[in-house]
Amino acid sequence: MEAVISTENLTKRFGDFIAVDHITFEVSRAEIFGFLGANGAGKTTAMRMLIGLSKPSSGKASVAGFDVYRETEDIKKNIGYMSQKFSLYEDLTVAENIRFFGGIYGLSGKILREKSDLLIDQLGLQSETKKLVGALPLGWKQKLAFSVAVLHEPKIVFLDEPTGGVDPLTRRQFWEMIYAATLRGMTVFVTTHYMDEAEYCNRLSIMVDGRIEALGSPADLRTKYNASSMDEVFYKLARGAERSAG
Amino acid sequence: MITPGRQFVTFIRKEFAHVLRDRKTLLILFGLPIIQIVIFGFALSNEVKNARILVIDNARDDVSREIVGKLAASRYFDLEEKKFSHEELEQTFREGKINLAVVFPAGFGSDLIHFNRAQVQVIADASDPNTANTLTNYLTSIVLDYRPAGAGAQPPPLAIGTQVRMLYNPQLKGAHNFVPGVMALVLMLVCVMMTSISIVREKELGTMEVLLVSPFNPVLVVLSKAVPYLILSLVNVTSIVLLSVFVLDLPVKGSVFLLFAESTLFIITSLALGLFISVRANTQQTAMLASMMGMLLPTLLFSGFMFPIENMPVALQVISNVVPAKWYYLIVKAIMIKGLGFSSIWKETLILSGITLFFLTISFKKFKIRLE
Amino acid sequence: MRIIRFLLEKEFRQIFRNKVLLTIILFVPVVQLLILPLAANYEVKNINLAIVNHDHSTYAQRLIEKIASSGYFRLTGVDQSFRKSLEAIESERADLVLEIPHDFEKDLVRENRQTLFVAVNAINGMKAGLGAAYLHTIIRDYNRELIAFRAGSTSTGGSPVIDVVASNWYNPYMSYRLFMVPGILAILVTMIAGYMSALNIVKEKETGTIEQINVTPIYKHHFIIGKLIPFWILGLVVFTLGLGVGWLAYGVVPVGSLALLYFFLAAYLLAVLGFGLLISTYAETQQQAMFISFFFVMIFILMSGLFTSIDSMPPWAQVISRLNPVTYCIQVMRMVVLKGSGLREVAPHLGAVVIFAIVLNTWAIVNYKKTT
């Protein structure tokens, strides 16, 4: 399987502080890759380098075959993103948000309309299309944000802590949407600090203090660390961490 | 058990931290009075200086040359002479190149000698009526003061002279008018805007609810937001006074202590206004615009320092009485420039205190309603 | 290009949905345009004059009558005591005091010379200057009257008389409002355009939607253009509203070409919006954006020649005012509205504004980083 994301000693420094410390890993096509770690471990910083929001201090990385130093705009053409704050316009309606982000990614006219209708159907939001996003409950916002992120069928979709604050049922539904996306060939790169979600990933890495301390499939890691759950794996790794929840 | 006093100090500390952390805003808060003083003190002036005058001398005789010479010697004007036709004159006015034109008709000198009477045309660009008036007046007096040298000159049979004494501001410096105004403006801006935005921001972020639900007295919470700005404002008053004394040469004629006391009163007035806005505004944008339009603009207009109140229609003059800055401006003028004491300003002080109490009361009333 | 269409759709939807903001943008300028010109009146009239008359002769009486009927002054009273009149100045009831000394008439008749004393409250330099000048003019007129009276005829009594014929072009009624309305309209449009564009991008920064935009392949300049156009249109709308108010409320009808006004304003708005955008690339919070833009807009307005003439500024300040886009706008507004200036006359101003627009917008685009 070709690697759609590959990094080599990727590093980000803020003055003396090393937020991301020489991380190296690869993600294959149609994989669900989990990027785990405690708050403050450096996950978001690492992701921002991959999606072209932040310039690395050193190391190499390429996303969708493009270099993160020189070809960020090409990377952006091939990815989707859902930020921690969900970043939809609260003062625009569901339909308007879909239309706007679809348009930005170059969809238009009939294609945009068709995809938009399809999305609304899939989410069951037919009766809510004219509602302002700000008025939607959290779970709906999340699902909508994800759908908008993949509207243009990007090669890779990056999700930053996408399931914060919602009930387990909604979380489950959300992950079903993620699976469906991978079946269409999309690669999913997701950061989270919910260890149970780790089980949903094909492979994952655990960051501690800016470094990748574990890399592999959930089953492999459980075996390696002699743990019955990812929670335990994480606990064993993170116990020695210096940086934790801010 | 933590005493309310200690609580208060803790809150004040937190608020100071917020304020001091925002470097950009802080820079502007301190820079604002300084820049304003510099601008008002050195750049702006109501005087008419360096006016551009065009002379068209169609006579070109001894008399007209002498008068033109007198005009050229005046330090008020920048004189230029051209032989323009009427169209060219219009053109140059339209290009905004001159303020005034003086036209001597052909035969000016001979008319004067033969008929003892001659005409000079003075054309002013009256777009700016004041400049036009002043220039025309000044020019007219130069022309009228002309006495033909040696033409059988006798001293005028009757001369009434005037001795003019300019009080408080013998050099007609603009600073005297503006410095008290700048004080009012800056204090109002900092206290009203910053306090209201700071309180409303907590509302927006949701942290206000947290504070209200806590065992801390909510009144203390709100007051603690005002304290840093009180101190900041006193610093601003100090810097304005220092600038005024050392840079503008405008000393405080009266009691400095009284000045600071009255300033503190005005600061509290402004804080009360900020409080009032914050109780009613729900978003930062609203608070900002309300402060800007509702407080700043009236202060600028109706305090009397930029525009004379007596020129306004009566309705506006009445409104100006409600604007706290107007009273503060009068007070500062009295203390700083006229050197008067409390006995002259007790009325204004009373009014200011009244306004303060009014806003404090209704703000707290509204605040209490919110809590219940 | 298609992308810009989507951007514009979004911006307009957001603007129209924000009813509070829309009201403020449209309503406030109208209110300000109604009130400001009424308040911003630098005309010097109703100068309060107190007279101390120590001589009750006919000469003194005649002089007082002449002053009272001149229309420049408002007599607050004729007193006996100079000190009382001084108190009138202190309490702001009088601006000038004229003292007619004992034996005014007697001394004048006997020695042909006399001196009058004038004390002026010079805190407001302009008022003091003009007030003293008017008084001086009246006294000099009176002087000539007396000379003629004594010579027993209306002849000039021997000395030559120069008639200064003064005409006021472009503003024959010397209406200060005509002078102020175009300028005030200019700064209103400037404020709205400047503040709105500064706050807009910062709001996206604060809510986080800007990250979502930065992750898309959208071109920086497309994004910025998408932000510029809605406010550009809004600015033109506000300007039109303002013109309407100016016409309806003040009878201000542009002498020059409306098309030229709009053409110039279109270019000017690009400059102002560029400036607002530039600020928004530097500010992190809405509060900062508001403050920074207020700071600069205030300096721009003060140094623009709106309230005080640029000619009277010291050279360094004149340089600053030439670097100020608002200066050009106000000049053009006044030139076209009052004097009917045409494209040829405002071409240099237009050029300056276009340069500003290019520089500011380019700077903003360069400064806007999608990747940090």
Side-chain angles (χ1 to χ4, degrees):
Chain A
M1 274 279 168
E2 82 259 34
V4 289
I5 304 177
S6 94
T7 76
E8 196 183 313
N9 287 322
L10 192 62
T11 307
K12 179 76 180 180
R13 251 178 245 108
F14 294 107
D16 281 337
F17 175 64
I18 307 180
V20 176
D21 195 350
H22 296 87
I23 60 174
T24 304
F25 65 94
E26 272 184 8
V27 178
S28 313
R29 206 173 86 88
E31 229 187 339
I32 302 181
F33 187 81
F35 210 52
L36 274 56
N39 297 336
K43 308 191 298 293
T44 305
T45 316
M47 178 148 92
R48 288 168 64 89
M49 285 193 277
L50 296 176
I51 59 180
L53 281 185
S54 165
K55 198 158 149 204
S57 307
S58 68
K60 290 204 260 206
S62 82
V63 175
F66 295 107
D67 179 76
V68 302
Y69 286 95
R70 289 165 295 124
E71 298 171 300
T72 53
E73 292 303 306
D74 289 305
I75 293 180
K76 287 170 184 176
K77 290 196 183 114
N78 289 284
I79 63 174
Y81 172 57
M82 183 180 151
S83 84
Q84 231 171 355
K85 291 198 247 183
F86 311 131
S87 297
L88 292 171
Y89 286 102
E90 305 256 312
D91 55 346
L92 291 181
T93 66
V94 170
E96 286 163 355
N97 264 291
I98 299 175
R99 187 181 155 75
F100 174 66
F101 285 108
I104 293 288
Y105 277 103
L107 304 176
S108 72
K110 212 167 71 147
I111 305 180
L112 179 57
R113 262 199 309 275
E114 281 172 5
K115 280 192 176 283
S116 171
D117 290 338
L118 187 62
L119 192 161
I120 292 174
D121 269 343
Q122 282 175 339
L123 290 179
L125 285 173
Q126 295 91 333
S127 51
E128 319 283 343
T129 53
K130 294 232 153 75
K131 230 188 187 161
L132 293 184
V133 166
L136 288 180
L138 193 57
W140 288 116
K141 270 198 236 187
Q142 268 181 0
K143 293 194 235 176
L144 182 61
F146 177 78
S147 309
V148 166
V150 302
L151 192 67
H152 58 289
E153 301 289 330
K155 293 209 180 95
I156 314 167
V157 63
F158 289 85
L159 311 171
D160 191 3
E161 313 262 358
T163 54
V166 290
D167 64 83
L169 178 62
T170 313
R171 273 211 277 146
R172 178 120 210 139
Q173 289 171 336
F174 190 83
W175 275 91
E176 274 164 23
M177 290 171 74
I178 295 184
Y179 283 138
T182 58
L183 289 177
R184 297 203 296 278
M186 229 179 277
T187 311
V188 175
F189 185 97
V190 53
T191 73
T192 178
H193 58 267
Y194 288 118
M195 291 308 138
D196 57 334
E197 290 187 343
E199 300 286 350
Y200 299 151
C201 303
N202 297 120
R203 279 166 64 236
L204 53 92
S205 70
I206 301 185
M207 274 183 86
V208 179
D209 287 343
R211 287 181 306 277
I212 293 186
E213 297 292 349
L215 183 61
S217 74
D220 289 339
L221 291 180
R222 268 183 277 122
T223 315
K224 181 168 171 196
Y225 288 92
N226 203 1
S228 52
S229 72
M230 283 309 302
D231 250 5
E232 237 187 283
V233 173
F234 180 78
Y235 183 64
K236 287 190 175 168
L237 283 172
R239 220 172 7 172
E242 283 150 18
R243 284 155 32 189
S244 59
Chain B
M1 186 63 200
I2 189 164
T3 65
R6 273 263 200 78
Q7 267 179 31
F8 197 44
V9 171
T10 317
F11 277 122
I12 296 182
R13 272 234 193 86
K14 157 183 165 312
E15 289 307 320
F16 254 115
H18 278 315
V19 170
L20 293 174
R21 203 159 290 152
D22 190 348
R23 291 278 158 80
K24 290 190 181 128
T25 309
L26 214 57
L27 199 68
I28 296 199
L29 283 183
F30 284 130
L32 199 66
I34 302 179
I35 295 279
Q36 281 196 333
I37 296 266
V38 168
I39 291 184
F40 277 112
F42 294 109
L44 299 184
S45 161
N46 267 329
E47 276 175 65
V48 177
K49 281 191 279 206
N50 304 326
R52 289 151 294 148
I53 310 268
L54 180 71
V55 170
I56 301 180
D57 188 357
N58 292 321
R60 310 217 124 251
D61 49 45
D62 293 332
V63 190
S64 68
R65 293 323 299 162
E66 225 182 294
I67 299 183
V68 172
K70 274 209 150 144
L71 292 177
S74 158
R75 38 178 200 93
Y76 259 100
F77 319 130
D78 281 339
L79 205 86
E80 232 194 288
E81 227 188 304
K82 290 231 169 90
K83 267 229 130 183
F84 270 175
S85 65
H86 192 83
E87 290 78 49
E88 286 169 312
L89 182 60
E90 272 191 42
Q91 179 66 17
T92 195
F93 264 123
R94 263 205 301 267
E95 285 172 0
K97 291 221 166 99
I98 56 172
N99 300 105
L100 188 125
V102 183
V103 184
F104 291 94
F108 174 71
S110 59
D111 281 350
L112 206 57
I113 293 178
H114 296 308
F115 303 117
N116 247 345
R117 243 203 150 84
Q119 270 194 1
V120 170
Q121 219 193 352
V122 169
I123 304 173
D125 180 347
S127 302
D128 179 352
N130 265 357
T131 308
N133 249 338
T134 311
L135 283 178
T136 307
N137 256 320
Y138 188 57
L139 208 105
T140 307
S141 54
I142 293 186
V143 171
L144 290 183
D145 278 345
Y146 167 72
R147 293 263 164 265
Q154 330 143 296
L158 202 78
I160 304 176
T162 30
Q163 216 179 66
V164 179
R165 209 175 86 206
M166 297 288 188
L167 298 174
Y168 311 131
N169 182 7
Q171 292 153 311
L172 288 187
K173 288 201 291 205
H176 294 67
N177 218 10
F178 292 126
V179 169
V182 168
M183 281 176 79
L185 200 65
V186 168
L187 291 181
M188 181 123 262
L189 179 72
V190 173
C191 297
V192 177
M193 231 199 214
M194 301 300 299
T195 316
S196 67
I197 291 181
S198 159
I199 297 180
V200 173
R201 190 199 262 130
E202 295 245 12
K203 266 206 252 181
E204 256 187 356
L205 292 177
T207 51
M208 181 64 101
E209 281 188 333
V210 174
L211 290 172
L212 290 179
V213 165
S214 71
F216 306 129
N217 189 341
V219 172
L220 285 187
V221 172
V222 169
L223 281 182
S224 73
K225 292 198 164 289
V227 169
Y229 296 118
L230 174 74
I231 304 199
L232 261 169
S233 303
L234 284 173
V235 172
N236 267 336
V237 172
T238 316
S239 69
I240 293 177
V241 171
L242 285 174
L243 277 172
S244 157
V245 171
F246 291 112
V247 177
L248 293 178
D249 264 336
L250 174 64
V252 179
K253 274 223 182 111
S255 150
V256 174
F257 174 70
L258 186 59
L259 184 63
F260 271 89
E262 295 280 353
S263 301
T264 312
L265 172 61
F266 183 64
I267 292 175
I268 297 181
T269 317
S270 312
L271 290 173
L273 277 169
L275 204 63
F276 179 63
I277 292 183
S278 73
V279 175
R280 322 201 75 220
N282 279 322
T283 65
Q284 286 183 69
Q285 246 184 355
T286 319
M288 278 188 249
L289 289 169
S291 311
M292 195 68 85
M293 306 299 171
M295 299 297 156
L296 211 66
L297 232 36
T299 301
L300 208 57
L301 290 182
F302 296 118
S303 60
F305 95 94
M306 282 227 85
F307 314 116
I309 299 184
E310 61 264 13
N311 274 354
M312 303 183 193
V314 178
L316 291 184
Q317 289 192 31
V318 168
I319 295 182
S320 81
N321 286 327
V322 176
V323 176
K326 171 205 164 116
W327 303 109
Y328 179 64
Y329 177 63
L330 285 174
I331 293 176
V332 174
K333 259 205 302 190
I335 302 178
M336 264 188 100
I337 300 173
K338 296 191 198 165
L340 301 174
F342 187 68
S343 48
S344 317
I345 52 172
W346 65 268
K347 224 176 29 169
E348 286 85 358
T349 313
L350 201 61
I351 296 180
L352 209 54
S353 317
I355 298 181
T356 312
L357 275 169
F358 174 69
F359 277 109
L360 279 175
T361 323
I362 52 175
S363 309
F364 276 117
K365 266 227 181 90
K366 269 244 138 71
F367 194 60
K368 276 237 168 99
I369 295 177
R370 277 290 166 84
L371 297 183
E372 283 138 22
Chain C
M1 278 311 124
R2 250 181 309 143
I3 296 204
I4 296 191
R5 203 185 103 215
F6 285 106
L7 285 171
L8 291 179
E9 261 181 34
K10 156 193 168 290
E11 292 297 330
F12 277 114
R13 284 200 176 119
Q14 285 183 306
I15 291 177
F16 282 114
R17 203 158 277 159
N18 191 343
K19 296 280 184 266
V20 172
L21 200 64
L22 211 55
T23 327
I24 294 184
I25 294 181
L26 298 177
F27 181 64
V28 168
V30 170
V31 168
Q32 286 183 21
L33 201 52
L34 285 173
I35 297 187
L36 264 161
L38 289 177
N41 199 341
Y42 276 135
E43 255 176 78
V44 181
K45 48 179 193 205
N46 293 331
I47 306 178
N48 294 318
L49 176 67
I51 300 193
V52 182
N53 188 6
H54 294 296
D55 179 60
H56 298 280
S57 61
T58 28
Y59 274 22
Q61 220 32 53
R62 178 82 196 101
L63 178 60
I64 296 178
E65 260 168 47
K66 203 174 159 65
I67 294 177
S69 58
S70 71
Y72 285 128
F73 298 105
R74 215 175 29 194
L75 279 190
T76 62
V78 184
D79 254 310
Q80 297 287 55
S81 133
F82 187 67
R83 217 197 51 210
K84 267 237 178 74
S85 302
L86 216 54
E87 269 168 34
I89 286 196
E90 273 175 11
S91 58
E92 304 264 327
R93 274 178 292 121
D95 299 303
L96 286 102
V97 176
L98 170 69
E99 192 184 15
I100 305 178
H102 289 287
D103 299 329
F104 176 64
E105 183 177 322
K106 254 207 279 182
D107 286 346
L108 208 52
V109 168
R110 226 191 12 220
E111 292 169 41
N112 289 337
R113 299 274 174 278
Q114 250 293 14
T115 312
L116 297 167
F117 297 98
V118 179
V120 187
N121 176 354
I123 292 184
N124 182 341
M126 169 123 270
K127 209 185 209 185
L130 274 179
Y134 290 150
L135 202 56
H136 194 85
T137 309
I138 298 177
I139 294 177
R140 191 187 36 227
D141 262 356
Y142 182 60
N143 194 351
R144 278 196 290 173
E145 248 184 59
L146 275 186
I147 295 179
F149 174 65
R150 292 229 298 200
S153 69
T154 46
S155 82
T156 61
S159 24
V161 163
I162 302 178
D163 281 326
V164 177
V165 179
S167 22
N168 290 305
W169 281 10
Y170 309 121
N171 189 356
Y173 296 110
M174 304 293 263
S175 156
Y176 212 81
R177 265 168 226 172
L178 198 60
F179 180 52
M180 288 304 279
V181 168
I184 290 176
L185 182 54
I187 60 162
L188 285 177
V189 172
T190 307
M191 285 204 281
I192 299 259
Y195 292 150
M196 291 287 109
S197 62
L199 287 177
N200 188 280
I201 293 192
V202 182
K203 186 143 192 262
E204 296 222 30
K205 274 198 219 182
E206 273 189 349
T207 54
T209 50
I210 211 166
E211 274 209 345
Q212 203 63 35
I213 298 268
N214 285 342
V215 166
T216 68
I218 196 174
Y219 290 124
K220 274 200 297 190
H221 56 272
H222 280 168
F223 179 60
I224 299 249
I225 292 179
K227 287 283 176 194
L228 272 181
I229 295 183
F231 293 117
W232 184 78
I233 297 183
L234 220 59
L236 288 171
V237 168
V238 172
F239 179 65
T240 310
L241 260 179
L243 279 179
V245 171
W247 171 54
L248 284 172
Y250 294 108
V252 174
V253 176
V255 173
S257 146
L258 260 183
L260 180 61
L261 274 180
Y262 273 97
F263 183 54
F264 178 81
L265 201 78
Y268 174 70
L269 274 175
L270 286 178
V272 175
L273 292 170
F275 183 69
L277 283 174
L278 184 62
I279 291 182
S280 72
T281 59
Y282 281 109
E284 285 130 20
T285 66
Q286 286 186 71
Q287 183 186 25
Q288 273 184 4
M290 188 86 224
F291 257 88
I292 300 178
S293 44
F294 169 75
F295 180 69
F296 281 105
V297 167
M298 183 206 68
I299 297 182
F300 281 160
I301 292 180
L302 286 177
M303 303 287 282
S304 67
L306 177 67
F307 301 122
T308 58
S309 142
I310 296 186
D311 290 330
S312 65
M313 293 186 193
W316 60 266
Q318 290 198 11
V319 170
I320 295 183
S321 82
R322 260 198 289 274
L323 291 174
N324 172 6
V326 185
T327 311
Y328 297 97
C329 185
I330 292 190
Q331 279 180 358
V332 168
M333 296 287 288
R334 285 178 172 159
M335 279 161 69
V336 175
V337 171
L338 291 174
K339 300 198 267 195
S341 305
L343 184 57
R344 228 189 72 191
E345 286 90 39
V346 305
H349 301 80
L350 193 61
V353 159
V354 167
I355 294 181
F356 275 118
I358 295 179
V359 167
L360 290 170
N361 281 295
T362 313
W363 190 355
I365 293 181
V366 165
N367 222 17
Y368 181 75
K369 291 193 174 49
K370 286 173 79 181
T371 310
T372 49

